[in-house]
Amino acid sequence: MPVAKSGKRTARLSLAARAADRGGGIRADVLACFAQDASGLLSPDRLLTVLREAGILPDDPRIAGTTAFLDRARPARATTDPVLLTKEEFAAAIRPNRGIIERAACGELAVPDFPALVADLQRIHQEVRNDRGGAAATYIPQLARVDPDQFAISVCTVDGQRFSVGDAGVNFCLQSVSKTVNYCLTLEEHGPDTVHRHVGREPSGQGFNELTFNKAGLPHNPMINAGAIMSCALIQRELDAADRFDFVAGTWKRLAGGHSVGFNNSVYLSERSTADRNFALGYSMRERGAFPPGTDLLATLEFYIQCCSIEVTAQQLAIAAASLANGGVCPLTEDPVFSAQTVRHCLSLMSSCGMYDFSGEFAFTIGLPAKSGVSGALMLVVPQLMGIAIWSPRLDGHGNSVRGIEVCRRLVDCYNVHTYDLLTGTGAETGKRDPRLKRHQSATEGIVGLCFAASRGDLNEIRRLAACNVPLDAADYDGRTALHLAAAEGHRSTVEFLLSRGVDPRPVDRWGGTPLDDARRSGHQELARLLAEAGKAAEPSTHR
Ligand code: GLN
């Protein structure tokens, strides 16, 4: 902004606005998103609405500077008049957090069309809530007493876009979901070689608390009880019990965006008094010499049960899942909780072992790393895209949340997020959409690509685009089609291919021109004859 050149204008600017200008102007297309009226004044409410639609919520620490500025701008007395800011004031408000705000306003975040994802999650929640199949865990009264109808879905993308539906603010205990973070902590502290001298990394193919070990006498993997007990034996061995627990709870807090997690003491107490199987697993492992020397078995088992009794909300669990999706860095606080290597190992084992003895089926149908717990929690990770938490207490025979699994199924039905969807793509054939694309981006890119390929006569590329369901008779904004461009450039085999695929031979562009006109104008007489014949054979067309 040319502030310095205009003394008159400078005089009208507030101090903060001048500070904004020193840092460079805010992008014009960003300001245009918030334009209020002809007066050029801008609305802070509109700013918060645009951010919320993009999934950036008002409590996001990355917009704290802006929300504080807007709070100061609000009049002290209650008034019904909407607060409006000048362009300069508005720029000053955005300035402290301009990076994230500009990206949100321009649809440049991880899920550009966030409202579409929100609509899908709302629909899925609505549909799946009618499913009352399965039963809540009853092995301890504290789980049996939870209202089994509760149901939350919460999502957080790697750019910290958040949305929740249902009982997403209600606490539930992590149970087996705690196994993921405990495994990550062992890797961070000891590295995979040491850790895997004490625990395997093969699916067990058996229930989560089965009394079974691998050939080396070690737990099969860290995602079942025996392996998770082993993780607890490896975490911060030199600390006392209280500090070890604080260390794990503090890690969950960091993963979940800095909000403290809870602890359910009655779950802990009743788990402890009914933990015969976990004690049996512990003693069996000790008998086999699986633990590192000097392990205090009882303290280890107590620590394991405490970790299972940590409580989170679906909102927090989604942020933690997003931190894993983001290579270990919390998207809201940018706190690097785990190294990318640690997360890679954890996601690998979540993919093969995270869903109990349903893991193989889950990997086949859903194709994403996930971890469930007997509280009905399910943490799903779409690497480099988002974390999803689903909580609903009724469980199936494997111990997985019935609604949790169904939500995963439906998500993978509408989005190409199964790891190997990369091979089958998106579009009409698969019925799947790519959440990474901007609104209309896939269609637009396909059409632009097709027109370019036609103008170059690149038949291979045209065939590839056709295989990806790009309609061969699609027109660009000017009504120009692949056939117009191939005709204008004299690419006979492209023209023949398009006609053989049944495209309309006489589409009309916005200037009233047909491919025949293009061929004639460019002196491609043979092509013109071909197009004229095809045109005669076809019905008169008004395609645009
Ligand atoms: N506390 C439970 C147990 O150790 C946790 C198991 C689970 O969620 N699958 O048996």
Side-chain angles (χ1 to χ4, degrees):
M1 245 178 291
V3 177
K5 287 185 193 148
S6 157
K8 203 168 144 214
R9 210 170 151 202
T10 309
R12 288 212 322 268
L13 286 177
S14 68
L15 220 60
R18 264 181 269 153
D21 281 317
R22 272 203 303 276
I26 304 297
R27 279 163 54 176
D29 53 342
V30 172
L31 288 175
C33 291
F34 308 114
Q36 177 70 9
D37 54 26
S39 71
L41 294 175
L42 297 131
S43 153
D45 290 338
R46 171 103 184 105
L47 169 62
L48 293 178
T49 305
V50 168
L51 290 177
R52 184 181 280 280
E53 278 171 5
I56 305 301
L57 304 185
D59 67 348
D60 192 316
R62 297 167 304 163
I63 57 164
T66 294
T67 47
F69 187 103
L70 295 180
D71 285 343
R72 286 197 299 276
R74 280 181 218 286
R77 279 177 302 111
T79 162
T80 49
D81 295 341
V83 179
L84 291 174
L85 302 178
T86 64
K87 206 164 159 183
E88 289 76 16
E89 288 168 327
F90 203 79
I94 291 179
R95 171 80 190 116
N97 306 118
R98 59 183 293 182
I100 184 78
I101 294 176
E102 288 186 344
R103 290 176 63 215
C106 299
E108 287 165 4
L109 298 177
V111 176
D113 191 358
F114 199 67
L117 178 63
V118 165
D120 283 321
L121 292 174
Q122 281 170 326
R123 174 181 54 76
I124 291 173
H125 186 271
Q126 190 71 29
E127 290 166 2
V128 174
R129 67 190 295 181
N130 299 322
D131 186 344
R132 295 196 165 70
T138 52
Y139 72 96
I140 55 170
Q142 281 64 29
L143 286 180
R145 273 186 221 131
V146 175
D147 173 3
D149 253 335
Q150 295 180 97
F151 179 26
I153 307 178
S154 192
V155 63
C156 178
T157 71
V158 292
D159 277 327
Q161 300 162 276
R162 286 178 288 159
F163 172 74
S164 298
V165 53
D167 305 295
V170 179
N171 278 315
F172 53 86
C173 43
L174 285 170
Q175 294 292 358
S176 279
V177 178
S178 64
K179 291 166 174 144
T180 54
V181 165
N182 283 1
Y183 174 55
C184 288
L185 288 174
T186 65
L187 292 174
E188 292 278 307
E189 196 178 334
H190 304 285
D193 293 346
T194 304
V195 168
H196 287 290
R197 277 205 282 276
H198 299 281
V199 58
R201 41 195 191 218
E202 282 293 338
S204 69
Q206 312 215 28
F208 59 87
N209 59 0
E210 208 64 41
L211 202 55
T212 163
F213 301 93
N214 67 18
K215 287 198 185 93
L218 301 178
H220 289 279
N221 66 69
M223 299 296 156
I224 53 172
N225 286 18
I229 292 168
M230 183 58 75
S231 295
C232 286
L234 292 168
I235 296 171
Q236 301 290 329
R237 294 166 61 81
E238 74 291 352
L239 295 184
D240 65 25
D243 286 341
R244 288 175 100 189
F245 178 76
D246 276 348
F247 179 64
V248 173
T251 304
W252 275 101
K253 174 179 171 175
R254 290 173 64 196
L255 287 169
H259 296 286
S260 288
V261 297
F263 176 72
N264 190 324
N265 194 43
S266 50
V267 166
Y268 164 69
L269 292 171
S270 67
E271 288 272 355
R272 197 176 58 162
S273 60
T274 57
D276 291 351
R277 175 56 65 88
N278 288 325
F279 277 77
L281 289 169
Y283 282 108
S284 265
M285 287 193 281
R286 188 161 79 179
E287 185 193 11
R288 291 170 161 78
F291 288 113
T295 296
D296 179 339
L297 179 57
L298 293 185
T300 299
L301 287 163
E302 298 237 322
F303 183 31
Y304 165 76
I305 298 167
Q306 286 160 6
C307 294
C308 291
S309 308
I310 290 175
E311 280 195 329
V312 293
T313 63
Q315 285 165 351
Q316 289 179 306
L317 189 58
I319 301 170
S323 299
L324 297 183
N326 197 32
V329 179
C330 176
L332 296 181
T333 59
E334 283 158 26
D335 182 356
V337 186
F338 295 134
S339 72
Q341 198 62 298
T342 287
V343 174
R344 174 177 176 271
H345 292 321
C346 183
L347 295 181
S348 300
L349 289 186
M350 285 167 68
S351 300
S352 56
C353 317
M355 300 298 287
Y356 308 131
D357 43 337
F358 187 68
S359 299
E361 184 64 26
F362 194 86
F364 186 83
T365 50
I366 311 296
L368 287 171
K371 185 74 201 86
S372 57
V374 287
S375 51
L378 199 164
M379 173 167 78
L380 184 72
V381 178
V382 187
Q384 295 193 328
L385 188 64
M386 60 187 163
I388 298 171
I390 308 150
W391 172 59
S392 196
R394 291 198 190 90
L395 308 177
D396 62 19
H398 301 281
N400 293 318
S401 168
V402 171
R403 285 172 174 162
I405 300 271
E406 190 52 34
V407 171
C408 295
R409 273 208 185 100
R410 287 171 191 245
L411 268 172
V412 168
D413 270 354
C414 52
Y415 290 108
N416 68 334
V417 290
H418 182 301
T419 307
Y420 303 114
D421 275 341
L422 292 174
L423 302 175
T424 51
T426 49
E429 204 171 291
T430 61
K432 293 191 181 207
R433 282 170 287 141
D434 187 344
R436 305 156 189 89
L437 293 183
K438 286 188 176 191
R439 218 173 292 188
H440 313 307
Q441 185 180 339
S442 49
T444 313
E445 277 181 355
I447 294 166
V448 170
L450 179 67
C451 288
F452 265 102
S455 69
R456 287 194 311 263
D458 183 348
L459 209 41
N460 276 341
E461 176 67 0
I462 294 174
R463 283 205 182 91
R464 193 189 67 78
L465 290 165
C468 293
N469 301 310
V470 175
L472 291 177
D473 54 1
D476 71 6
Y477 175 79
D478 291 324
R480 302 283 288 166
T481 67
L483 195 61
H484 282 100
L485 293 154
E489 301 296 336
H491 298 304
R492 183 181 176 121
S493 49
T494 301
V495 168
E496 284 172 343
F497 173 78
L498 291 168
L499 291 174
S500 75
R501 288 297 194 97
V503 305
D504 179 352
R506 294 195 301 196
V508 181
D509 67 21
R510 72 186 294 186
W511 301 281
T514 63
L516 177 57
D517 300 328
D518 274 290
R520 281 193 185 129
R521 198 167 37 243
S522 311
H524 304 302
Q525 298 312 335
E526 239 186 276
L527 265 188
R529 260 195 304 283
L530 190 78
L531 285 160
E533 272 167 33
K536 254 184 252 151
E539 293 289 311
S541 164
T542 53
H543 175 81
R544 281 185 63 108

